[in-house]
Amino acid sequence: MGGEFFGAAWLQYALSGVTIGAIYALVAIGYNIIYNVTEIINFAQGEFVMLGGLFGVFYYQTCGLPLVLAVLSAVVTVGVVGLLLERYVIRRARHATVLSMIIVTIAFSILLKGGAMLAWGKDPYRLPAFSRGGVFLWQGVAVQPQALWVLGISAVVVAALTLFFRKSFYGKAMLACADNPSAARLVGIPVRTMVLLSFALSATVGAVAGAVICPITLMEYDRGALLGLKGFGAAVLGGLGQFSGALVAGIVLGLSESFCAGYLSSGYKDAVALVLLLSALFFKPEGLFGSKEAAGLKRF
Amino acid sequence: MKAKRRWVWGVLAVMVMWGWSAGMCQPKAVLAAKEPYKVGAVFAITGTASFLGEPEKKTAEMIRDEINSQGGINGHPLELIIYDDESDATKSILAVKRLIKTDQVPVIIGPTQSDASLAVAPIAEAARVPLISCAASYKIVEPVAERHWVFKVAGSDKHVVGKMYDYMKAKGISKIGIMTASTGFGASGREELLRLAPEYGITVLADERYGPKDTDLTAQLTKMREAKVEAIVNWSVGPTQVLAVTGWRDLKMENIPLFQSHGFGSRKNLELAGAAAEGVLLPLARVNVGPLLPDSHPQKKVIMAYTEAYEKKYKEPVSSFGGHAWDALHLAVAALKAVGPDSAKIRDFLENTKGFVGQHGIFNFSPQDHNGLSKDDLEMVVVKNGDWALAPW
């Protein structure tokens, strides 16, 4: 094993780790948006990712739309699914506790998975890469242009969401709802609209993740659960509700998986993610970037 | 009172009409046949393995109609009793028990999956009813001493690995890396790959496992390259086998040949992998490559006849799985034709069947071998111009 070759392998592991990590981060961000506004953990988040990919395929292959339009339509469609989830399921159960609402989202995820199986069958599907031109070699490392798309789009989404929640009127209003819904209502914030918006937004982010990774990883009806689980790990590791935390934690998770597969054994890869998650819960339950005080105030 | 009487008249009228129409049908049925010969079948028609069980069911029904339209088996119509085990081994057990106790079939074909077949084998054994499984695991028929009544028509992993290793030997490849999915299918393939390697003088330099839902295999492939292997074997089903192909191509590892298991043998995979699959090697049963076989090949005629009939009737390409049902049902029918509906005689007939030309090979059963196939019943296939081609040796 020559030194130079070793370097190339290292870079290759790092690149695939960062790419897969960016996807985990996008899923984690979806969790965070809803959590920030309602304190609900939406376990249908992975299903939104799956639907994003499969609707992309539907619009591109079945309806024959151009790729960009197909992806946008898929994102909008899944956004509407998120809207429906809030309007007709979560809102109906609004007097229930946070925990039972979480259970409702699990039921919804099973429904979405079953529906997707009926609509698309069990075969995997793929979208073409967003840009032409195949893989190029850089420093002995094969770089997939689609991986760059994944990274770029994740970065844009994180930046946009951070700005949205910190600077915009609606973003601040949404955060206020999470902090204290009654107080928010008193100062004239339409809490229901904000909750509705949070579900639509998080479904949209999930769908973006699904459509962007579909050219690399393919997509089939039962992919949601595992992506959802890894994304949840990233969300907890980064501190629930923290966008930049989710990004860092997602990438840490992706990198550790990839290096484990490369240098230890790929059989232990999923265990590494779980060990990381568990040790975070043991030693720093508020996550890498969450504050202890804030965590103490949360109900879940 | 009046209303009640009208109701009675209505029922009577319906009964009369029913009897009349049954009477219309009856003479024909009586003329056509002696008592029907029953064959029981258990397939995974719904559930996770439905992509295997569905073509099996369709094939079996097609064969039943063909046989009955040609006058049945020695004049006895073939009655096929098919149960769906919903891809669930527990339901397979119920279905097999029902076939044996209620339907009293003399022979059973199926189940579709290995775990279901392993679960029902002892039941068939205890009831002394021959069972022809359509699943892959060699444990279904081994040890033969405990599997007196159980046969199977699907080739074993051992044959696939043997064919692969033969080809590698012919090409001077001796150092390989293997990557397998952590599913029953992948684990069983891994076991055979490792077990048979020394026999063929092959060293396994890298042995990687991954989850069936993994989204990236770059790390595993990079590790193969680091280990300086001369060929890579990937053993999985589903999206990961396509990811292995695209990753292999993306990492520019074309100089290291990529072998896939027989699980890759579906056109859907070629579609998904696209140009990246060019040059991928895999051992395949002949039923998948009928048109490529030379006309002189003994299997060519049966395979082409099945392929044409199936594709015409169901408007979808044939699969290896439908081929399993073809082999199992035709073996059962051959036995019924020769010895009639007697379980013990059917078993003896099956065990001594030699040279049965089927979709998956030329079966030669014996008291030591209840599978009847060998690695010579497979063809080494290479992906060429987005289609299968026979690999040059």
Side-chain angles (χ1 to χ4, degrees):
Chain A
M1 207 183 280
E4 196 187 81
F5 210 31
F6 179 78
W10 188 88
L11 270 176
Q12 190 78 63
Y13 296 142
L15 181 72
S16 73
V18 171
T19 313
I20 197 88
I23 299 160
Y24 295 161
L26 278 184
V27 183
I29 286 165
Y31 281 107
N32 284 341
I33 295 171
I34 290 181
Y35 181 78
N36 271 346
V37 181
T38 62
E39 298 199 333
I40 297 174
I41 309 283
N42 168 33
F43 279 105
Q45 194 61 38
E47 261 51 54
F48 289 153
V49 180
M50 173 271 290
L51 282 181
L54 288 183
F55 269 116
V57 172
F58 169 73
Y59 286 119
Y60 180 74
Q61 274 182 4
T62 316
C63 304
L65 294 180
L67 188 58
V68 182
L69 220 58
V71 168
L72 286 179
S73 317
V75 169
V76 171
T77 312
V78 181
V80 171
V81 172
L83 224 94
L84 293 176
L85 164 65
E86 200 285 330
R87 181 64 190 78
Y88 292 102
V89 185
I90 298 290
R91 194 175 292 184
R92 294 274 160 98
R94 65 183 176 278
H95 295 303
T97 60
V98 170
L99 189 64
S100 39
M101 299 241 245
I102 291 173
I103 294 168
V104 168
T105 66
I106 295 178
F108 199 73
S109 82
I110 295 170
L111 191 77
L112 288 182
K113 185 172 147 182
M117 190 188 81
L118 285 180
W120 281 278
K122 290 168 199 125
D123 291 325
Y125 293 89
R126 96 178 301 164
L127 279 175
F130 289 5
S131 50
R132 278 171 196 284
V135 176
F136 56 90
L137 279 172
W138 170 75
Q139 306 267 320
V141 177
V143 182
Q144 258 185 325
Q146 187 65 23
L148 300 181
W149 277 102
V150 171
L151 293 177
I153 289 178
S154 312
V156 169
V157 168
V158 173
L161 282 177
T162 313
L163 273 180
F164 174 74
F165 278 104
R166 291 233 176 106
K167 304 283 178 201
S168 82
F169 177 75
Y170 273 93
K172 286 181 190 166
M174 281 168 86
L175 286 181
C177 298
D179 234 16
N180 192 332
S182 321
R185 201 172 287 120
L186 278 179
V187 297
I189 296 171
V191 175
R192 279 190 185 175
T193 316
M194 293 300 138
V195 174
L196 191 69
L197 198 60
S198 78
F199 270 86
L201 196 59
S202 112
T204 309
V205 172
V208 169
V212 189
I213 62 171
C214 191
I216 306 184
T217 64
L218 319 190
M219 193 55 78
E220 81 277 24
Y221 80 103
D222 61 349
R223 187 63 73 69
L226 192 74
L227 281 171
L229 195 71
K230 294 279 171 66
F232 180 62
V236 171
L237 196 63
L240 269 174
Q242 300 290 324
F243 292 117
S244 47
L247 185 66
V248 175
I251 287 174
V252 166
L253 212 62
L255 279 176
S256 54
E257 279 191 1
S258 181
F259 283 127
C260 174
Y263 292 119
L264 289 168
S265 161
S266 44
Y268 301 131
K269 202 192 65 184
D270 290 338
V272 163
L274 280 176
V275 168
L276 262 178
L277 180 59
L278 283 178
S279 37
L281 287 174
F282 282 140
F283 300 111
K284 210 169 179 325
E286 69 277 11
L288 294 175
F289 296 87
S291 85
K292 219 165 208 162
E293 262 172 84
L297 291 172
K298 304 272 185 185
R299 272 174 293 174
F300 190 80
Chain B
M1 205 57 199
K2 221 174 202 174
K4 197 175 176 188
R5 190 168 297 165
R6 199 181 296 158
W7 185 78
V8 170
W9 277 117
V11 169
L12 268 177
V14 169
M15 280 171 76
V16 167
M17 278 166 72
W18 195 19
W20 180 67
S21 59
M24 288 292 280
C25 297
Q26 217 160 15
K28 203 173 144 203
V30 167
L31 277 183
K34 312 171 195 169
E35 155 209 7
Y37 279 173
K38 289 180 190 167
V39 172
V42 182
F43 297 134
I45 301 164
T46 56
T48 48
S50 60
F51 69 103
L52 313 172
E54 183 77 34
E56 289 177 347
K57 170 182 167 261
K58 286 178 175 168
T59 302
E61 286 173 342
M62 186 179 88
I63 296 171
R64 176 198 59 199
D65 296 346
E66 275 171 17
I67 287 177
N68 286 340
S69 70
Q70 288 159 12
I73 308 166
N74 300 340
H76 297 267
L78 171 62
E79 185 186 345
L80 191 62
I81 304 167
I82 304 181
Y83 292 130
D84 176 14
D85 69 13
E86 298 166 34
S87 309
D88 179 346
T90 321
K91 295 200 170 118
S92 273
I93 293 178
L94 292 177
V96 166
K97 282 187 173 159
R98 194 168 156 197
L99 283 173
I100 294 171
K101 296 231 167 77
T102 315
D103 302 314
Q104 301 195 323
V105 296
V107 54
I108 298 171
I109 60 173
T112 305
Q113 289 171 288
S114 288
D115 56 345
S117 300
L118 289 167
V120 302
I123 298 170
E125 205 65 31
R128 306 170 82 78
V129 172
L131 177 99
I132 310 173
S133 161
C134 294
S137 170
Y138 70 95
K139 290 176 187 149
I140 296 166
V141 291
E142 273 174 41
V144 184
E146 292 167 27
R147 296 287 197 248
H148 199 61
W149 296 83
V150 183
F151 299 83
K152 81 183 182 94
V153 286
S156 296
D157 295 343
K158 151 175 104 179
H159 303 143
V160 179
V161 172
K163 188 79 185 177
M164 228 181 234
Y165 282 175
D166 269 349
Y167 184 82
M168 286 179 186
K169 249 171 95 178
K171 295 282 168 196
I173 294 168
S174 63
K175 297 182 188 114
I176 63 164
I178 63 174
M179 40 199 279
T180 53
S182 56
T183 54
F185 180 74
S188 141
R190 175 172 177 271
E191 211 172 275
E192 294 299 289
L193 282 164
L194 292 174
R195 187 173 71 86
L196 294 175
E199 226 173 274
Y200 290 82
I202 281 169
T203 328
V204 178
L205 292 182
D207 169 18
E208 290 300 307
R209 273 166 288 172
Y210 52 82
K213 293 278 158 226
D214 274 12
T215 47
D216 180 54
L217 299 177
T218 318
Q220 287 85 346
L221 285 162
T222 310
K223 211 167 167 184
M224 301 278 157
R225 194 175 61 189
E226 295 296 287
K228 300 217 161 53
V229 300
E230 293 166 353
I232 300 167
V233 180
N234 178 64
W235 203 286
S236 65
V237 282
T240 44
Q241 55 185 350
V242 179
L243 294 183
V245 174
T246 49
W248 168 72
R249 182 69 61 181
D250 288 347
L251 293 175
K252 313 240 180 252
M253 290 165 67
E254 293 94 338
N255 54 337
I256 311 174
L258 176 66
F259 291 78
Q260 293 262 13
S261 75
H262 52 310
F264 193 68
S266 142
R267 276 179 197 280
K268 182 91 194 164
N269 287 322
L270 291 187
E271 239 170 72
L272 286 168
E278 220 49 25
V280 169
L281 292 150
L282 67 154
L284 265 190
R286 298 207 171 93
V287 60
N288 294 296
V289 290
L292 300 180
L293 295 174
D295 287 334
S296 60
H297 197 282
Q299 279 178 267
K300 174 113 180 180
K301 219 174 113 195
V302 290
I303 292 177
M304 289 316 292
Y306 167 53
T307 307
E308 276 156 20
Y310 186 91
E311 290 179 355
K312 191 172 154 227
K313 182 162 176 151
Y314 295 114
K315 311 271 178 285
E316 63 181 28
V318 282
S319 65
S320 0
F321 316 111
H324 293 318
W326 194 99
D327 290 342
L329 186 52
H330 272 288
L331 274 168
V333 166
L336 284 168
K337 196 169 196 165
V339 298
D342 178 317
S343 289
K345 285 185 190 157
I346 291 177
R347 193 213 79 88
D348 293 341
F349 177 86
L350 288 173
E351 191 166 77
N352 294 310
T353 299
K354 297 263 187 284
F356 176 85
V357 181
Q359 300 295 327
H360 277 266
I362 298 167
F363 290 85
N364 289 303
F365 292 98
S366 72
Q368 291 78 40
D369 181 6
H370 278 195
N371 187 358
L373 292 174
S374 76
K375 61 187 177 187
D376 299 326
D377 288 308
L378 296 163
E379 290 288 344
M380 202 65 199
V381 170
V382 62
V383 180
K384 205 170 163 187
N385 303 326
D387 202 349
W388 311 123
L390 297 181
W393 282 70

